[in-house]
Amino acid sequence: MFLPKYPDSPTPPSAHTHAPTAPAPARHGLPSFPVDQKTVATVLVAGVVLTALLAAVAVTAISVAVAAVVVRSLLRDQYRR
């Protein structure tokens, strides 16, 4: 009653059908632009600045975490007395 009913198929369809198609158009990458020394220097300086900012944020976060643990420890000792 609840079994699916499949249509009768006397011959199975071909597994591989190859139809000739038109050749694919040539794919072009990103538009090229001239890369000179100023561009390379700008990218390197930007990378160094961003890396330094990320390191500064990480060091600040670690410092705040350590300070919070110390303050928490001092307050806990004060309330125990």
Side-chain angles (χ1 to χ4, degrees), residues 6-77:
Y6 298 108
D8 293 333
S9 176
T11 58
S14 159
H16 178 68
T17 56
H18 180 66
T21 59
R27 298 179 73 188
H28 297 288
L30 296 174
S32 63
F33 59 95
V35 178
D36 56 352
Q37 290 179 351
K38 288 183 181 179
T39 305
V40 172
T42 303
V43 170
L44 287 177
V45 168
V48 168
V49 169
L50 290 176
T51 303
L53 288 173
L54 181 63
V57 169
V59 168
T60 303
I62 292 170
S63 302
V64 169
V66 169
V69 169
V70 169
V71 169
R72 180 179 169 192
S73 175
L74 291 173
L75 290 176
R76 185 180 59 186
D77 287 343

